């Protein structure tokens, strides 16, 4: 029996960590090495060092692989990847697994496109930031044909992730759950940012607020607080955001669009989106994290966008 060949498309802050963990698993299992591609192929040098095999294009990956994973930045890129896979030749029997955060309608359209070409599509967005991707601790949300989800299961829990939430065969459902989770995350960041500005303006202080958040709400919300107090909300010039604000803006717009279609509102998300978009205009091309609404809220309260910690760090 021929061994299953896996492929990977997209080596951004999430995809690189995920693919490296997948390649480590394949190597330890004496399975064929991961074939990968990326718009900037040198981005995969660390994956190549682990035994991964670079390919020049999405089409090359699709031709060689039985199961193809991707993690890309937005719906348009995902659609182009799907087009390239379909155009690569006979894809009958292949499985395409996408881990990006996209609109549910995009997942449905791509599932139809792949199905008509004889392949199967699994929507598998993930919860967790880049550090969790590196650590193999992501939470996968999967939806698609059972014949496909069962075949990809060995590569998820315990390899790239710590758990899998199964959503059945309707690929729109996994995208919707991912969006619902993002609503929670962006809302947490908005209200924690507001609380920190409140603490600074009233003289309470951020340090004691962060202690309270950790003691009362646990390590997750404490970690969100630390994105503000450590200056991660506004990385140093030339640095890299943990989760880029442009991706967070895209995700928030998807959530608001879905809410509008369902005849409901996400008022905290609306405010958070406005604050993230304003942050982008306030600091130009400087890298910004999805938590950068904190800087906007600071300016609206008469404070500097950058905390003293940021200023000291940046010289």
């Amino acid at each position: 029996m021929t061994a299953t060949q896996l492929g990977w498309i997209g080596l951004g802050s999430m995809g690189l960590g995920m693919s490296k963990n997948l390649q480590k698993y394949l190597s330890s299992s004496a399975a064929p090495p991961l074939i990968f591609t990326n718009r900037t192929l040198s981005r995969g040098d660390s994956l190549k060092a682990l035994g991964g095999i670079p390919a020049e294009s999405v089409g090359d990956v699709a031709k060689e692989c039985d199961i193809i994973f991707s993690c890309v930045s937005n719906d348009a890129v995902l659609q182009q990847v799907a087009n390239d896979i379909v155009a690569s030749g006979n894809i009958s029997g292949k499985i395409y697994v996408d881990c990006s955060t996209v609109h549910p309608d995009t997942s449905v359209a791509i599932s139809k496109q792949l199905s008509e070409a004889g392949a199967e599509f699994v929507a598998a967005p993930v919860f967790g930031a880049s550090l969790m991707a590196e650590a193999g601790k992501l939470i996968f949300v999967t939806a698609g044909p059972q014949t496909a989800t069962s075949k990809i299961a060995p590569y998820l829990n315990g390899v790239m992730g710590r758990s899998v939430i199964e959503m059945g065969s309707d690929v729109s459902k996994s995208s919707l759950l991912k969006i619902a989770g993002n609503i929670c995350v962006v809302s947490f960041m908005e209200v924690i940012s507001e609380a920190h500005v409140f603490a600074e303006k009233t003289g309470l202080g951020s340090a004691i607020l962060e202690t309270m958040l950790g003691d009362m709400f646990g390590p997750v919300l404490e970690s969100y607080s630390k994105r503000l107090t450590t200056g991660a909300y506004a990385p140093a010039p030339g640095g890299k955001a943990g989760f880029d604000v442009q991706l967070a803006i895209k995700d928030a717009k998807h959530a608001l669009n879905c809410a509008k279609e369902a005849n409901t509102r996400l008022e905290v998300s609306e405010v958070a989106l406005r604050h993230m978009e304003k942050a982008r205009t306030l600091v130009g091309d400087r890298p910004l994290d999805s938590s950068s609404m904190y800087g906007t809220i600071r300016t609206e309260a008469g404070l500097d966008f950058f905390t003293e910690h940021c200023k000291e760090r940046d010289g």
Side-chain angles (χ1 to χ4, degrees):
M1 183 176 178
T2 306
T4 301
Q5 177 64 62
L6 271 60
W8 193 278
I9 299 162
L11 299 174
S13 60
M14 297 294 291
L16 184 59
M18 295 168 73
S19 60
K20 286 164 66 175
N21 285 322
L22 184 55
Q23 171 54 31
K24 290 173 186 177
Y25 171 78
L26 295 175
S27 180
S28 68
S29 306
L34 188 67
I35 298 175
F36 69 90
T37 195
N38 190 60
R39 185 165 45 193
T40 303
L41 204 51
S42 60
R43 171 80 176 161
D45 286 350
S46 60
L47 179 55
K48 183 179 178 181
L50 293 172
I53 300 175
E56 289 297 322
S57 69
V58 169
D60 290 339
V61 173
K63 288 174 185 176
E64 297 294 329
C65 299
D66 305 301
I67 299 176
I68 305 153
F69 287 87
S70 70
C71 190
V72 297
S73 58
N74 59 49
D75 299 53
V77 176
L78 176 58
Q79 185 60 68
Q80 185 58 58
V81 168
N83 293 345
D84 290 348
I85 290 173
V86 171
S88 68
N90 181 11
I91 61 169
S92 180
K94 294 180 185 287
I95 298 172
Y96 177 32
V97 186
D98 180 61
C99 303
S100 316
T101 301
V102 296
H103 193 284
D105 291 349
T106 302
S107 295
V108 171
I110 289 176
S111 179
K112 183 175 184 291
Q113 180 183 13
L114 270 288
S115 178
E116 290 174 349
E120 292 180 304
F121 176 71
V122 177
V126 295
F127 288 112
S130 56
L131 290 177
M132 292 179 73
E134 284 280 351
K137 300 297 183 182
L138 298 170
I139 300 170
F140 281 81
V141 184
T142 61
Q146 195 278 330
T147 49
T149 56
S150 63
K151 289 177 182 175
I152 69 169
Y155 310 113
L156 305 184
N157 198 8
V159 179
M160 293 186 286
R162 59 185 171 92
S163 67
V164 178
I165 302 173
E166 298 177 358
M167 299 296 293
S169 61
D170 183 350
V171 295
S172 71
K173 294 297 190 288
S174 58
S175 297
L176 279 171
L177 184 60
K178 171 58 174 162
I179 286 171
N182 285 350
I183 293 168
C184 296
V185 171
V186 76
S187 299
F188 290 149
M189 285 309 321
E190 174 69 24
V191 298
I192 291 171
S193 295
E194 290 181 9
H196 269 288
V197 171
F198 172 83
E200 184 163 351
K201 291 289 289 187
T202 60
L204 176 65
S206 287
I208 195 63
L209 173 65
E210 186 161 275
T211 298
M212 182 276 289
L213 289 171
D215 288 350
M216 187 166 182
F217 300 111
V220 173
L221 293 196
E222 183 180 23
S223 72
Y224 291 172
S225 174
K226 288 185 180 299
R227 289 164 72 178
L228 312 182
T229 58
T230 64
Y233 74 96
K240 190 171 179 61
F243 187 70
D244 192 273
V245 71
Q246 285 302 132
L247 296 177
I249 288 171
K250 177 261 296 182
D251 292 349
K253 288 180 176 179
H254 280 332
L256 293 171
N257 179 271
C258 289
K260 183 177 180 180
E261 292 172 356
N263 196 31
T264 188
R265 283 188 69 183
L266 303 170
E267 295 187 59
V268 177
S269 295
E270 291 172 5
V271 174
L273 175 60
R274 176 172 61 82
H275 283 153
M276 290 189 291
E277 290 178 329
K278 187 174 179 181
R280 183 71 283 164
T281 65
L282 286 171
V283 299
D285 294 332
R286 181 179 177 133
L288 286 177
D289 185 66
S290 57
S291 55
S292 57
M293 71 271 287
Y294 176 51
T296 300
I297 298 167
R298 288 176 58 83
T299 64
E300 291 178 348
L303 300 171
D304 195 284
F305 187 97
F306 302 102
T307 61
E308 291 303 314
H309 179 91
C310 290
K311 294 175 184 178
E312 291 173 9
R313 177 198 64 198
D314 300 344

